[in-house]
Amino acid sequence: MLFASLVESSHRALATPDIVIIGFYFALVFAIGMYFARRERTSEDYFLAGRNVGWFFIGASLFVSNISTEHFIGLSGTGASSGLAVGHFEWLACLILLILGWVFVPFYLRSNVFTMPEFLERRFNRQSAVYLAGISIIAYIFTKISVQLYAASVVLERVAGWKLWETAVVLVIATGIYTIAGGLAAVIYTDTVQTLILITGAVALTVIGLIRVGGLAHLQAMVPPDYFHMIKPASDPNFPWTGIFFGAPILGIWYWCTDQVIVQRVLSARDEGHAKAGTIFAGFLKILPVFMLVLPGIIAAALFRDQLKTPDFAYPTLVLNLLPVGLVGLVMAALLAAVMGAMSSVFNSASTLVTLDFYKKLRPEVSERELVNFGRIATGMMVVLGLLWVPFIHYISSQLYIYLQSVQAYISPPIAACFVLGILWPRLNGSGAITSLLSGFVLGAARFILELADRAGAHRFESPIARWCIDMNFLHYAIF
């Protein structure tokens, strides 16, 4: 009954110690960001941190660039509704990161590229590079900036009563200031601080939740038995084993090995050894989210099942009801670290793509100073586009993480194929690459539009072909 009475409060006012902790976090991040803002000189300094970053900072930046508030909301929400199976995506990343380090990184570093489209242009043709740069920027708007803002706002509104749009605007401005000023060096070194804060806050909540629920054995008795089964039948609507083993690696290779946000970190390494060591360190860190994000969702389902209006409220509900004064501030700082770390990475990578793959191609004689200034302007453009998409996200899926993975499944297969075959098969040519990229885009866009219209209630498709396309699991569609 104690838990039921606690859940009824919509949010709690932050105590002075909580506000002090959050304030200290902001001060630390801005101090690091502004320090590097004073040091940037050339485009290589701004976009690749002078190619002089060590393995520890690369690994931490890879981790926090990936873990954002949509993981706090989505992983815990999916954990609350279906158990540990969603953790496959996290543990699979441990292996994919090693593929990045040992298969892809040697090619990237030896070719001395700044961006992934630049690599495709050297390997195939300009059309492939334009496609990848364009689709990456669109994907950042649909699956990164807007989702991170939405997820952060859900948590902060639920826990502290902060309004969605106000929160989104404040976070964008705060993150944009140090990202625009300091470039990739500011992003990577603030990411390291944010990684430590994120892990500390998330682990604290998991430990307190396990103590409150009576331990892991008692938790297993309080939820359905299949919550702790990670291998689901092929007919499972969300995580069929066939999709996990054959479809998820396609998404993983696209995201971890070919996406500008991730690969830009290893491109900044001082040498190949540091790049490889950074991927190993990030792989070890990716073991943690199952325990510090998915498991709390199961704890929320055990303690507050009757009060959870939607699975996406699982993590905020735990913060609201289990944490004492002081630890609320720590976990709030962890959530802010997650969203600001991931957004700053996207802002910097998006501006890198716009600046180097479009602006510099149109004006090859442009100076280093102009390149850096244009990169800062491009960041602002991405922010505005991301904000405009926020109101539409809830039409796709009530479980945010599944939405994120499903959108990625519509665009990733042809890109992953081009990179893998481009590296492993010398005979593959530019015509084949651009043909596969465009045909894959048409198939993905068709599914995305049909699903959006069907779930929004705008139109109910009765055609067997349309229903087959819409109802197929997104991981199976990625294989197809």
PDB file of all heavy atoms in Angstrom, residues 130 184 191 200 286 312 371 385:
ATOM      1  N   VAL A 130      26.552  11.353 -51.440  1.00  0.00           N
ATOM      2  CA  VAL A 130      25.438  12.293 -51.250  1.00  0.00           C
ATOM      3  C   VAL A 130      24.255  11.596 -50.598  1.00  0.00           C
ATOM      4  O   VAL A 130      23.610  12.128 -49.686  1.00  0.00           O
ATOM      5  CB  VAL A 130      25.026  12.920 -52.599  1.00  0.00           C
ATOM      6  CG1 VAL A 130      23.712  13.692 -52.466  1.00  0.00           C
ATOM      7  CG2 VAL A 130      26.128  13.834 -53.123  1.00  0.00           C
ATOM      8  N   LEU A 184      34.504  18.719 -31.481  1.00  0.00           N
ATOM      9  CA  LEU A 184      34.539  17.325 -31.051  1.00  0.00           C
ATOM     10  C   LEU A 184      35.346  17.138 -29.768  1.00  0.00           C
ATOM     11  O   LEU A 184      35.004  16.286 -28.943  1.00  0.00           O
ATOM     12  CB  LEU A 184      35.106  16.433 -32.156  1.00  0.00           C
ATOM     13  CG  LEU A 184      35.055  14.928 -31.863  1.00  0.00           C
ATOM     14  CD1 LEU A 184      33.621  14.440 -31.720  1.00  0.00           C
ATOM     15  CD2 LEU A 184      35.764  14.123 -32.944  1.00  0.00           C
ATOM     16  N   ASP A 191      31.872  14.054 -22.551  1.00  0.00           N
ATOM     17  CA  ASP A 191      31.282  12.708 -22.556  1.00  0.00           C
ATOM     18  C   ASP A 191      31.885  11.829 -21.465  1.00  0.00           C
ATOM     19  O   ASP A 191      31.197  10.994 -20.869  1.00  0.00           O
ATOM     20  CB  ASP A 191      31.500  12.029 -23.913  1.00  0.00           C
ATOM     21  CG  ASP A 191      30.517  12.497 -24.966  1.00  0.00           C
ATOM     22  OD1 ASP A 191      29.595  13.261 -24.619  1.00  0.00           O
ATOM     23  OD2 ASP A 191      30.665  12.093 -26.140  1.00  0.00           O
ATOM     24  N   THR A 200      27.054   5.992 -12.407  1.00  0.00           N
ATOM     25  CA  THR A 200      26.864   6.092 -10.953  1.00  0.00           C
ATOM     26  C   THR A 200      25.386   6.239 -10.594  1.00  0.00           C
ATOM     27  O   THR A 200      24.867   5.530  -9.719  1.00  0.00           O
ATOM     28  CB  THR A 200      27.648   7.296 -10.387  1.00  0.00           C
ATOM     29  OG1 THR A 200      29.026   7.164 -10.736  1.00  0.00           O
ATOM     30  CG2 THR A 200      27.522   7.368  -8.879  1.00  0.00           C
ATOM     31  N   LYS A 286      29.092  -1.650 -22.606  1.00  0.00           N
ATOM     32  CA  LYS A 286      27.776  -2.011 -23.148  1.00  0.00           C
ATOM     33  C   LYS A 286      27.175  -3.238 -22.467  1.00  0.00           C
ATOM     34  O   LYS A 286      26.011  -3.573 -22.714  1.00  0.00           O
ATOM     35  CB  LYS A 286      27.877  -2.252 -24.662  1.00  0.00           C
ATOM     36  CG  LYS A 286      28.008  -0.981 -25.483  1.00  0.00           C
ATOM     37  CD  LYS A 286      26.784  -0.086 -25.357  1.00  0.00           C
ATOM     38  CE  LYS A 286      25.597  -0.669 -26.109  1.00  0.00           C
ATOM     39  NZ  LYS A 286      24.415   0.235 -26.014  1.00  0.00           N
ATOM     40  N   ASP A 312       6.491   3.454 -20.790  1.00  0.00           N
ATOM     41  CA  ASP A 312       7.499   4.512 -20.847  1.00  0.00           C
ATOM     42  C   ASP A 312       7.639   5.268 -19.527  1.00  0.00           C
ATOM     43  O   ASP A 312       8.599   6.007 -19.331  1.00  0.00           O
ATOM     44  CB  ASP A 312       7.171   5.507 -21.971  1.00  0.00           C
ATOM     45  CG  ASP A 312       7.412   4.915 -23.353  1.00  0.00           C
ATOM     46  OD1 ASP A 312       8.075   3.866 -23.431  1.00  0.00           O
ATOM     47  OD2 ASP A 312       6.943   5.497 -24.341  1.00  0.00           O
ATOM     48  N   LEU A 371      35.046  27.159 -42.622  1.00  0.00           N
ATOM     49  CA  LEU A 371      34.512  25.805 -42.423  1.00  0.00           C
ATOM     50  C   LEU A 371      34.004  25.627 -40.994  1.00  0.00           C
ATOM     51  O   LEU A 371      32.905  25.101 -40.775  1.00  0.00           O
ATOM     52  CB  LEU A 371      35.596  24.753 -42.717  1.00  0.00           C
ATOM     53  CG  LEU A 371      35.858  24.376 -44.169  1.00  0.00           C
ATOM     54  CD1 LEU A 371      36.980  23.347 -44.245  1.00  0.00           C
ATOM     55  CD2 LEU A 371      34.595  23.831 -44.827  1.00  0.00           C
ATOM     56  N   LEU A 385      15.043  21.519 -36.717  1.00  0.00           N
ATOM     57  CA  LEU A 385      14.335  20.424 -37.382  1.00  0.00           C
ATOM     58  C   LEU A 385      13.960  19.324 -36.391  1.00  0.00           C
ATOM     59  O   LEU A 385      12.870  18.747 -36.466  1.00  0.00           O
ATOM     60  CB  LEU A 385      15.212  19.842 -38.504  1.00  0.00           C
ATOM     61  CG  LEU A 385      15.435  20.768 -39.710  1.00  0.00           C
ATOM     62  CD1 LEU A 385      16.474  20.178 -40.642  1.00  0.00           C
ATOM     63  CD2 LEU A 385      14.125  20.989 -40.454  1.00  0.00           C
TER      64      LEU A 385
END
